[in-house]
Coordinates of all heavy atoms in Angstrom, one line a residue:
Chain B
E647 N 19.5 3.4 22.6 CA 18.9 3.0 23.9 C 19.8 3.3 25.1 O 19.4 3.8 26.1 CB 18.5 1.5 23.9 CG 17.4 1.1 23.0 CD 16.0 1.3 23.6 OE1 15.9 2.1 24.6 OE2 15.0 0.7 23.2
A648 N 21.1 3.0 24.9 CA 22.1 3.2 26.0 C 22.3 4.7 26.2 O 22.4 5.2 27.3 CB 23.4 2.5 25.6
E649 N 22.3 5.4 25.1 CA 22.5 6.9 25.2 C 21.3 7.5 25.9 O 21.5 8.4 26.8 CB 22.6 7.5 23.7 CG 22.9 9.0 23.7 CD 23.0 9.5 22.3 OE1 22.9 8.8 21.3 OE2 23.2 10.8 22.2
I650 N 20.1 7.1 25.6 CA 18.9 7.6 26.2 C 18.9 7.3 27.7 O 18.6 8.1 28.6 CB 17.6 7.1 25.6 CG1 17.4 7.6 24.2 CG2 16.4 7.4 26.4 CD1 16.9 9.1 24.1
N651 N 19.3 6.1 28.0 CA 19.4 5.7 29.5 C 20.4 6.6 30.2 O 20.1 7.1 31.3 CB 19.9 4.3 29.6 CG 18.8 3.3 29.5 OD1 17.6 3.7 29.4 ND2 19.1 2.0 29.6
A652 N 21.5 7.0 29.6 CA 22.5 7.9 30.2 C 21.8 9.2 30.5 O 22.1 9.9 31.5 CB 23.7 8.0 29.4
V653 N 21.0 9.6 29.6 CA 20.3 10.9 29.7 C 19.2 10.9 30.8 O 19.2 11.8 31.7 CB 19.7 11.4 28.3 CG1 18.8 12.6 28.5 CG2 20.8 11.7 27.3
I654 N 18.3 9.9 30.7 CA 17.2 9.9 31.6 C 17.5 9.3 33.0 O 16.8 9.7 34.0 CB 15.9 9.2 31.0 CG1 16.2 7.7 30.7 CG2 15.5 9.9 29.7 CD1 15.0 7.0 30.1
H655 N 18.4 8.4 33.1 CA 18.7 7.8 34.4 C 20.0 8.3 35.1 O 20.2 8.0 36.2 CB 18.8 6.3 34.3 CG 17.6 5.7 33.7 ND1 16.3 5.8 34.2 CD2 17.4 4.9 32.6 CE1 15.5 5.1 33.5 NE2 16.1 4.6 32.5
A656 N 20.9 9.0 34.3 CA 22.2 9.3 34.9 C 22.7 10.7 34.6 O 23.9 11.0 34.8 CB 23.2 8.3 34.4
D657 N 21.8 11.6 34.1 CA 22.2 13.0 33.9 C 23.3 13.1 32.9 O 24.2 14.0 33.0 CB 22.6 13.6 35.2 CG 22.4 15.1 35.2 OD1 21.6 15.6 34.5 OD2 23.1 15.8 36.0
G658 N 23.4 12.3 31.9 CA 24.3 12.4 30.8 C 25.6 11.6 31.1 O 25.8 10.9 32.1
G659 N 26.5 11.7 30.1 CA 27.8 10.9 30.2 C 28.6 11.1 28.9 O 28.6 12.2 28.3
C660 N 29.2 10.0 28.4 CA 29.9 10.1 27.1 C 29.8 8.7 26.4 O 29.5 7.7 27.0 CB 31.3 10.6 27.3 SG 32.3 9.5 28.2
A661 N 30.1 8.8 25.1 CA 30.1 7.6 24.3 C 31.4 7.5 23.5 O 32.0 8.5 23.0 CB 29.0 7.8 23.2
D662 N 32.0 6.3 23.5 CA 33.2 6.0 22.7 C 32.9 4.8 21.8 O 32.4 3.8 22.2 CB 34.3 5.7 23.7 CG 34.8 6.9 24.4 OD1 35.6 7.7 23.7 OD2 34.4 7.1 25.5
V663 N 33.2 5.1 20.5 CA 32.9 4.0 19.5 C 34.2 3.6 18.9 O 35.0 4.5 18.5 CB 31.9 4.6 18.5 CG1 31.5 3.5 17.5 CG2 30.7 5.2 19.1
E664 N 34.4 2.3 18.7 CA 35.5 1.8 18.0 C 35.1 1.0 16.8 O 34.3 0.0 17.0 CB 36.3 0.9 19.0 CG 37.8 0.9 18.7 CD 38.5 0.1 19.8 OE1 38.9 0.6 20.8 OE2 38.6 -1.2 19.6
I665 N 35.5 1.4 15.7 CA 35.0 0.7 14.4 C 36.1 0.0 13.8 O 37.2 0.6 13.4 CB 34.4 1.8 13.5 CG1 33.3 2.6 14.2 CG2 33.8 1.1 12.2 CD1 32.8 3.8 13.4
T666 N 36.0 -1.3 13.6 CA 37.0 -2.0 12.8 C 36.2 -2.9 11.8 O 35.0 -3.0 11.9 CB 37.8 -3.0 13.7 OG1 36.9 -4.0 14.2 CG2 38.5 -2.3 14.9
P667 N 36.9 -3.4 10.8 CA 36.2 -4.2 9.8 C 35.5 -5.5 10.4 O 34.6 -6.0 9.9 CB 37.2 -4.7 8.8 CG 38.3 -3.7 9.0 CD 38.3 -3.3 10.4
E668 N 36.0 -5.9 11.6 CA 35.4 -7.1 12.2 C 34.3 -6.9 13.2 O 33.3 -7.6 13.2 CB 36.5 -7.9 13.0 CG 37.6 -8.5 12.2 CD 38.6 -7.5 11.8 OE1 38.9 -6.6 12.6 OE2 39.1 -7.5 10.6
K669 N 34.4 -5.8 13.9 CA 33.3 -5.5 14.9 C 33.2 -4.0 15.3 O 34.2 -3.3 15.0 CB 33.5 -6.4 16.2 CG 34.8 -6.0 16.9 CD 35.0 -6.9 18.1 CE 36.3 -6.6 18.8 NZ 36.6 -7.4 19.9
I670 N 32.1 -3.7 15.8 CA 31.9 -2.3 16.3 C 31.6 -2.4 17.8 O 30.8 -3.2 18.3 CB 30.7 -1.7 15.6 CG1 31.0 -1.6 14.1 CG2 30.4 -0.3 16.1 CD1 29.9 -1.8 13.1
V671 N 32.4 -1.6 18.5 CA 32.3 -1.6 20.0 C 31.9 -0.2 20.5 O 32.5 0.8 20.2 CB 33.7 -2.0 20.7 CG1 33.5 -2.0 22.2 CG2 34.2 -3.3 20.1
V672 N 30.8 -0.2 21.2 CA 30.2 1.1 21.7 C 30.3 1.0 23.2 O 29.8 0.1 23.8 CB 28.8 1.3 21.2 CG1 28.2 2.6 21.8 CG2 28.7 1.3 19.7
V673 N 30.9 2.1 23.8 CA 30.9 2.2 25.3 C 30.2 3.4 25.7 O 30.6 4.5 25.3 CB 32.4 2.1 25.8 CG1 32.4 2.3 27.3 CG2 33.1 0.9 25.3
I674 N 29.2 3.3 26.5 CA 28.5 4.5 27.0 C 28.7 4.5 28.5 O 28.4 3.6 29.3 CB 26.9 4.3 26.8 CG1 26.6 4.1 25.3 CG2 26.2 5.6 27.3 CD1 26.5 5.2 24.4
S675 N 29.3 5.6 29.0 CA 29.7 5.7 30.4 C 29.0 6.9 31.0 O 28.8 7.9 30.4 CB 31.2 5.9 30.6 OG 31.9 5.2 29.6
D676 N 28.6 6.7 32.3 CA 28.0 7.9 33.0 C 28.4 7.9 34.4 O 29.0 6.9 34.9 CB 26.5 7.8 32.9 CG 25.8 6.6 33.6 OD1 26.0 6.5 34.9 OD2 25.2 5.8 33.0
K677 N 28.2 9.0 35.1 CA 28.5 9.1 36.5 C 27.3 9.2 37.3 O 27.2 10.0 38.3 CB 29.4 10.4 36.7 CG 30.8 10.3 36.1 CD 31.6 11.5 36.5 CE 33.1 11.3 36.2 NZ 33.4 11.2 34.7
G678 N 26.3 8.5 36.9 CA 25.0 8.5 37.6 C 24.9 7.7 38.8 O 25.9 7.3 39.4
P679 N 23.7 7.3 39.2 CA 23.4 6.6 40.5 C 23.9 5.1 40.5 O 23.9 4.5 41.6 CB 21.9 6.7 40.7 CG 21.4 6.9 39.3 CD 22.4 7.6 38.5

Side-chain angles (χ1 to χ4, degrees):
Chain B
E647 289 280 19
E649 184 179 358
I650 291 285
N651 276 358
V653 171
I654 63 179
H655 303 301
D657 206 26
C660 65
D662 286 282
V663 186
E664 207 176 271
I665 305 166
T666 66
E668 293 80 37
K669 63 181 179 187
I670 295 143
V671 181
V672 178
V673 179
I674 308 273
S675 328
D676 67 60
K677 294 190 169 61

